[in-house]
Amino acid sequence: MRNFGLKSSRKILLFVFTYFGYTINFARESMDGFAHKEKFELFAKLDSSSFFALIQTILLRKSNSGELDLYSVVVNFLVSRFTDSYQVMFMVHSFVFSYFMLKVIEVIFDDVEGIKSFNVKVFFILLWFLIPINNVQAIRFPIASWIYIYGVIMYLKSENKRFLLFCFLSCLVHFSFALATVIVLAYSFLGNRNLVYLSFLALSFILPNLFYSFLSNFDSSQLGEGVEDKIQGYSREDYIKMRNQNLENRNWYSRLRIPFLQYGFYAALVYNVFFKRYSVKSDKFQDNLVSFMILFLAFIQFGFAFDSLGRRFLIIWFVFAAIYFIRSYSINESKELKLPTAILLFPVTLWVIVQFRVSLDVSTWMFYLGNPIVATFVKLETILN
């Protein structure tokens, strides 16, 4: 990571992260990855006619398909034609995940011409751990996140609308990104209307259930049975209560790392924008980023009424916020510790530690001590048993 400016370093990281997917394992059957493992085993038994029938039901948004996202269905089926090893399936998903993750970090690293000051290093480290490689076990949302982030960042940087295609592609990986894509399309149409976006943001704090009420009463039958079932499922009160209960049952460090980082970013941004303006007026990328962040945060605040919707997309907003601070302190380089960095030191440290702890639930000794040559010929299950 220190030598990320070298192409060889980027290739090595792509290889290592892809290999991580091959060695992945699951500490508990309740983990998302275990469910994807079992689903892949069913794909291995699926014939071509059944696969095309499944694709048809997805395209027609039928409720009996059990799926809404083309990406994982197509990838899993294609991989299952060559092997019944779920490790190869996760390796392929890890490659896609890593490719877009590294592309985003590459764009930012090259844009600021390297990581120099301590302030920049703090947020650069955070950028690696916000949606890290161990999250690939959930497949759909993490991969969609990096594809969406890449599309947004490239659009904000170049203002070339062809990059919005990646936002549309993210919808094929996880259906919920259709809402996030609407947000970036609205931004592309309105431009930098900060007062308008701040009004939406203020409204999201005053009337947080406005979006929930609209979507709950929205006639989604025209979108297809599958979409209608998903919307109704996520808006059910018992589902929201269950999600909140699961969150309350977590360890304090796992439960509080999100609000710590969330309100730490809020405080740091208020200080940075209103008291110490570190961005440069002529920096169009930074202006676009700030404006989009305000609009996206309003969307997230409304999404908190659905619990999981707001919390999931908040992590993506963290990525945009980390990029904002990396660019701010690169534009105005200073070796002294800045107050926003000091505010976020503990939340960032806690976040990184928790991510390391979470990685232990999906990583094995093969990743740390093994090598790809041995792994190719020796089954993971054989070694573990």
Side-chain angles (χ1 to χ4, degrees):
M1 295 180 189
R2 184 175 60 248
N3 299 315
F4 192 72
L6 301 175
K7 287 186 177 181
S8 57
S9 295
R10 300 171 187 182
K11 290 178 181 178
I12 289 170
L13 285 168
L14 179 62
F15 172 81
V16 170
F17 290 161
T18 301
Y19 179 57
F20 177 89
Y22 185 84
T23 64
I24 204 167
N25 197 41
F26 312 104
R28 297 179 301 277
E29 293 186 1
S30 59
M31 299 181 71
D32 290 341
F34 189 84
H36 285 294
K37 169 182 175 290
E38 291 189 322
K39 189 178 293 185
F40 176 76
E41 291 171 350
L42 294 177
F43 270 100
K45 302 174 184 177
L46 201 66
D47 56 38
S48 298
S49 59
S50 300
F51 168 71
F52 288 114
L54 176 60
I55 293 295
Q56 185 179 16
T57 59
I58 293 174
L59 294 175
L60 295 175
R61 300 181 297 279
K62 294 287 188 67
S63 61
N64 62 347
S65 70
E67 299 281 355
L68 276 180
D69 310 313
L70 277 174
Y71 165 79
S72 58
V73 170
V74 172
V75 170
N76 290 355
F77 178 76
L78 292 178
V79 173
S80 70
R81 298 308 90 184
F82 300 96
T83 178
D84 59 357
S85 171
Y86 75 90
Q87 297 158 266
V88 176
M89 178 267 291
F90 275 108
M91 182 180 71
V92 174
H93 290 307
S94 296
F95 175 82
V96 177
F97 175 100
S98 305
Y99 177 82
F100 283 99
M101 175 188 180
L102 292 171
K103 287 295 289 183
V104 170
I105 298 175
E106 176 184 326
V107 169
I108 302 307
F109 185 93
D110 293 345
D111 180 62
V112 301
E113 299 180 347
I115 307 303
K116 299 165 185 174
S117 71
F118 175 78
N119 296 286
V120 177
K121 287 178 182 177
V122 169
F123 295 102
F124 187 65
I125 290 171
L126 177 64
L127 186 59
W128 286 93
F129 285 94
L130 284 170
I131 312 176
I133 184 61
N134 55 272
N135 284 24
V136 77
Q137 61 99 12
I139 296 179
R140 294 156 56 241
F141 196 89
I143 294 176
S145 296
W146 282 117
I147 295 174
Y148 178 81
I149 292 167
Y150 177 72
V152 170
I153 288 299
M154 291 303 297
Y155 172 69
L156 296 178
K157 180 178 172 63
S158 66
E159 297 186 335
N160 188 330
K161 292 188 177 180
R162 70 185 177 90
F163 286 108
L164 296 178
L165 175 63
F166 288 98
C167 299
F168 285 102
L169 289 176
S170 70
C171 303
L172 301 179
V173 184
H174 196 285
F175 73 96
S176 66
F177 278 83
L179 294 171
T181 300
V182 169
I183 300 302
V184 72
L185 287 176
Y187 170 80
S188 69
F189 177 75
L190 295 173
N192 293 348
R193 299 285 189 270
N194 289 1
L195 289 178
V196 175
Y197 303 153
L198 285 170
S199 300
F200 282 128
L201 182 58
L203 191 63
S204 69
F205 284 98
I206 299 170
L207 298 172
N209 292 321
L210 186 64
F211 182 58
Y212 176 83
S213 301
F214 168 76
L215 205 56
S216 298
N217 298 319
F218 175 69
D219 183 12
S220 55
S221 59
Q222 299 298 320
L223 302 176
E225 297 173 7
V227 176
E228 185 178 23
D229 289 347
K230 287 288 186 181
I231 292 176
Q232 291 177 355
Y234 280 107
S235 60
R236 290 197 329 265
E237 289 188 13
D238 59 334
Y239 173 80
I240 296 173
K241 289 180 179 178
M242 179 196 71
R243 293 282 303 186
N244 287 331
Q245 185 62 45
N246 289 340
L247 184 64
E248 289 297 321
N249 291 336
R250 294 179 183 177
N251 294 322
W252 71 269
Y253 49 83
S254 179
R255 185 175 68 252
L256 296 179
R257 64 180 178 132
I258 292 179
F260 278 168
L261 195 58
Q262 177 186 0
Y263 293 109
F265 266 130
Y266 289 173
L269 284 166
V270 168
Y271 175 82
N272 219 40
V273 173
F274 292 103
F275 297 98
K276 297 282 185 180
R277 295 189 64 85
Y278 287 114
S279 59
V280 179
K281 282 289 185 180
S282 60
D283 189 346
K284 187 64 175 176
F285 183 10
Q286 194 79 338
D287 291 341
N288 292 346
L289 179 60
V290 170
S291 192
F292 178 76
M293 283 172 60
I294 297 171
L295 177 61
F296 199 71
L297 183 58
F299 159 66
I300 291 166
Q301 286 295 136
F302 281 121
F304 273 127
F306 291 91
D307 183 66
S308 61
L309 180 67
R311 188 177 295 114
R312 283 180 169 186
F313 283 102
L314 181 63
I315 311 301
I316 295 176
W317 185 84
F318 288 163
V319 174
F320 294 133
I323 291 171
Y324 165 82
F325 279 106
I326 289 171
R327 300 194 78 256
S328 291
Y329 292 128
S330 296
I331 293 168
N332 303 271
E333 191 176 345
S334 175
K335 293 184 179 180
E336 64 181 71
L337 179 65
K338 297 297 183 180
L339 182 59
T341 309
I343 292 172
L344 284 157
L345 270 179
F346 174 72
V348 168
T349 303
L350 179 63
W351 186 278
V352 172
I353 291 173
V354 171
Q355 287 292 12
F356 267 119
R357 169 61 188 87
V358 172
S359 71
L360 297 178
D361 287 341
V362 294
S363 59
T364 64
W365 72 267
M366 186 190 288
F367 175 69
Y368 299 105
L369 301 177
N371 65 79
I373 297 175
V374 173
T376 303
F377 297 100
V378 181
K379 287 287 186 180
L380 179 62
E381 291 89 349
T382 303
I383 296 175
L384 292 177
N385 293 331

